[in-house]
């Protein structure tokens, strides 16, 4: 029932897939500090990470045998290459991933020995409400890099998954899979954020435990984002649902590898509905950059990892914005990207802005490229400091 209510609310608030070719990709490597890498029709919701060698690793969704249901694929591209590898399917159970609602996008992280770890909302059997039951699916690339291991459901007891989960990894073998769920709560004011932790690079995971120390609730149809910085500090961004109307962007931080968390509200938003929004985190030379949506605008701020102080939220130019993603380069610049005009069953356009190491705009923003229905964009920084947007 909660899922249906969220969908109806999203339709009121906010407002098919293309050809089925695979991602051999079109890559524009012009002189601009921002290059565009356009995936072919049918490949949507990309997510990208870069490993220690500078190789970019990308996952994306592609429709299967029915609308909104399909499979996840993985490709990679080494520095200097203009074409990507042949795609490898991530999910071992066919058509066990979905694309309806961009908040449920799969996430990827690079861990110890440059191993890829992917999470997504797995689709199981149909429940009494007619929708397929969701579970927190996880898979990792095998040691030879030729295939993904069989997918696993990491939920032991915290059931009631809705908005998408996330994954964070460090370089010493810690993997954190994060999601929010009902877990026997009566409504979203009782939803909570849960973390399943692996200390052996994803071979095994502990039973999930609640991360948020205060009863903030969690917005059911909003995604969240997990990120581990170079010092092993774990960050989680999610939308609260306190009293059903206080849907504030909320930060959780753990300095003891997920044992305890400090909590901080970053941006207030009072709304008696679910905005279906997503989050982004990236490490820069000035701290950890966070990006989110409030009242239809995308904002960013920088978190100081030493004392958790946060700069004032800064909006990007434009309106009707969603789905931010942020990435930092070694030279201190940060690229913030987002979509404009996207909504329920509605595509839109791509936009971005360059920021300096202090978070101040370097450019006034740029717009180019169409975002398909349920689509969003991702980005990465090359070793030479150039940014590449994938959409």
């Amino acid at each position: 029932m909660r899922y249906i209510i969220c969908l109806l609310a999203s339709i009121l608030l906010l407002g098919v897939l293309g050809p089925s070719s695979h991602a051999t990709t079109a890559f524009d490597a012009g002189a601009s500090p921002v290059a565009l890498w356009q995936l072919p029709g049918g490949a949507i919701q990309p997510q990208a990470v870069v490993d220690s060698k500078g190789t970019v690793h990308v996952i994306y969704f592609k429709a299967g045998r029915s609308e909104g249901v399909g499979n996840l694929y993985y490709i990679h591209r080494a520095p200097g290459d203009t074409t990507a590898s042949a795609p490898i399917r991530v999910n071992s159970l066919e058509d066990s991933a979905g694309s309806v609602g961009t908040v449920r996008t799969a996430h990827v992280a690079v861990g110890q020995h440059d191993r890829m770890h992917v999470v997504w909302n797995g689709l199981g059997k149909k429940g009494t409400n007619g929708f397929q039951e969701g579970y927190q699916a996880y898979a990792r690339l095998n040691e030879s890099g030729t295939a993904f291991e069989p997918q696993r459901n990491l939920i032991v007891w915290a059931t009631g998954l809705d908005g998408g989960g996330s994954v964070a990894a460090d370089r010493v073998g810690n993997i954190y899979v994060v999601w929010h769920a009902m877990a026997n709560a009566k409504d979203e004011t009782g939803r909570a954020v849960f973390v399943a932790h692996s200390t052996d690079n994803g071979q095994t995971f502990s039973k999930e435990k609640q991360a948020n120390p205060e009863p903030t609730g969690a917005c059911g149809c909003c995604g969240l984002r997990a990120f581990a910085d170079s010092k092993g500090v774990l960050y989680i961004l999610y939308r609260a649902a306190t009293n059903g109307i206080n849907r504030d962007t909320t930060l959780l931080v753990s300095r003891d590898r997920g044992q305890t968390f400090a909590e901080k509200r970053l941006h207030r938003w009072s709304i008696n509905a679910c905005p279906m929004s997503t989050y982004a985190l990236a490490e820069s030379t000035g701290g950890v950059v966070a990006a989110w949506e409030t009242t239809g605008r995308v904002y960013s701020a920088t978190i100081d990892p030493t004392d958790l102080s946060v700069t004032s939220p800064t909006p990007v130019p434009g309106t009707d914005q969603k789905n931010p993603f942020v990435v930092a380069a070694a030279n201190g610049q940060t690229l913030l990207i987002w979509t404009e005009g996207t909504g329920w069953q509605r595509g839109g356009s791509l936009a971005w802005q360059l920021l300096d190491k202090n978070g101040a705009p370097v450019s006034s923003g740029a717009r180019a490229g169409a975002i398909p229905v349920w689509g969003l964009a991702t980005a990465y920084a090359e070793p030479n400091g150039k940014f590449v947007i994938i959409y």
Side-chain angles (χ1 to χ4, degrees), residues 249-268:
T249 288
T250 305
L251 172 68
L252 298 174
V253 179
S254 176
R255 291 192 176 99
D256 55 9
R257 305 194 186 282
Q259 296 303 305
T260 60
F261 287 86
E263 180 181 288
K264 189 169 190 174
R265 303 268 180 145
L266 296 190
H267 212 188
R268 303 284 180 174

Side-chain angles (χ1 to χ4, degrees), residues 14-250:
L14 305 172
V16 149
L17 294 176
S20 59
S21 59
H22 260 296
T24 52
T25 74
F27 178 66
D28 171 21
S32 168
V34 178
L36 300 178
W37 178 359
Q38 185 175 8
L39 300 177
I44 63 172
Q45 300 178 354
Q47 296 282 297
V49 292
V50 176
D51 68 19
S52 63
K53 303 178 184 65
T55 296
V56 59
H57 303 262
V58 182
I59 60 169
Y60 62 88
F61 172 88
K62 184 170 178 292
R65 291 175 290 186
S66 60
E67 183 179 353
V69 177
N71 303 289
L72 299 170
Y73 292 90
Y74 160 79
I75 56 176
H76 60 86
R77 186 169 67 83
D81 288 350
T82 57
T83 58
S85 64
I88 298 173
R89 199 174 83 183
V90 176
N91 50 302
S92 54
L93 301 177
E94 188 176 5
D95 287 350
S96 63
S99 67
V100 176
T102 50
V103 299
R104 301 172 185 90
T105 302
H107 286 190
V108 60
V110 55
Q112 188 179 39
H113 308 311
D114 287 336
R115 199 161 188 175
M116 295 301 114
H117 304 265
V118 181
V119 299
W120 69 97
N121 279 29
L123 298 177
K125 63 181 180 180
K126 285 189 176 181
T128 55
N129 60 3
F131 291 99
Q132 288 179 272
E133 294 179 352
Y135 59 91
Q136 188 57 69
Y138 163 83
R140 63 176 184 169
L141 196 64
N142 62 19
E143 291 185 355
S144 61
T146 58
F148 278 81
E149 297 176 348
Q151 67 189 68
R152 290 177 262 167
N153 176 13
L154 296 186
I155 295 179
V156 176
W157 67 277
T159 58
L161 181 73
D162 190 352
S166 190
V167 59
D170 63 24
R171 297 306 176 94
V172 296
N174 290 287
I175 309 297
Y176 306 94
V177 177
V178 183
W179 67 94
H180 60 74
M182 292 292 284
N184 301 318
K186 294 182 180 180
D187 55 39
E188 67 178 355
T189 63
R191 290 184 76 91
V193 177
F194 298 92
V195 178
H197 181 199
S198 171
T199 59
D200 53 16
N201 208 24
Q203 183 173 341
T204 60
F205 281 86
S206 64
K207 179 180 177 180
E208 68 270 23
K209 67 177 185 178
Q210 185 171 329
N212 53 303
E214 300 295 329
T216 61
C219 196
C221 292
C222 284
L224 49 68
R225 177 71 65 168
F227 176 75
D229 70 13
S230 58
K231 297 179 175 62
V233 179
L234 174 63
Y235 304 78
I236 301 170
L237 275 180
Y238 73 103
R239 189 171 301 288
T242 311
N243 299 323
I245 59 171
N246 297 327
R247 300 178 188 272
D248 309 327
T249 288
T250 305

Side-chain angles (χ1 to χ4, degrees), residues 290-352:
W292 64 88
E293 174 203 351
T294 300
T295 62
R297 297 287 302 277
V298 164
Y299 290 78
S300 67
T302 301
I303 306 162
D304 187 331
T306 59
D307 60 6
L308 301 187
S309 61
V310 183
T311 59
S312 297
T314 303
V316 297
T319 59
D320 197 9
Q321 301 164 341
K322 298 193 77 66
N323 304 320
F325 192 85
V326 63
V327 62
N331 62 9
Q333 285 194 333
T334 299
L335 176 69
L336 180 59
I337 66 174
W338 63 93
T339 64
E340 294 187 348
T342 57
W344 188 255
Q345 294 185 336
R346 187 177 75 231
S349 59
L350 168 68
W352 69 89

Side-chain angles (χ1 to χ4, degrees), residues 26-38 48 50 54 56 77 281-285 289 325-337 350-357 359-363 366 377-391:
F27 178 66
D28 171 21
S32 168
V34 178
L36 300 178
W37 178 359
Q38 185 175 8
V50 176
V56 59
R77 186 169 67 83
L281 288 163
E283 186 171 14
S284 72
T285 56
V289 182
F325 192 85
V326 63
V327 62
N331 62 9
Q333 285 194 333
T334 299
L335 176 69
L336 180 59
I337 66 174
L350 168 68
W352 69 89
Q353 183 178 61
L354 279 173
L355 308 174
D356 66 19
K357 62 181 180 180
V362 174
S363 64
T378 189
Y380 67 96
E382 295 191 320
N384 61 6
K386 188 169 186 173
F387 293 101
V388 179
I389 297 175
I390 308 172
Y391 69 106

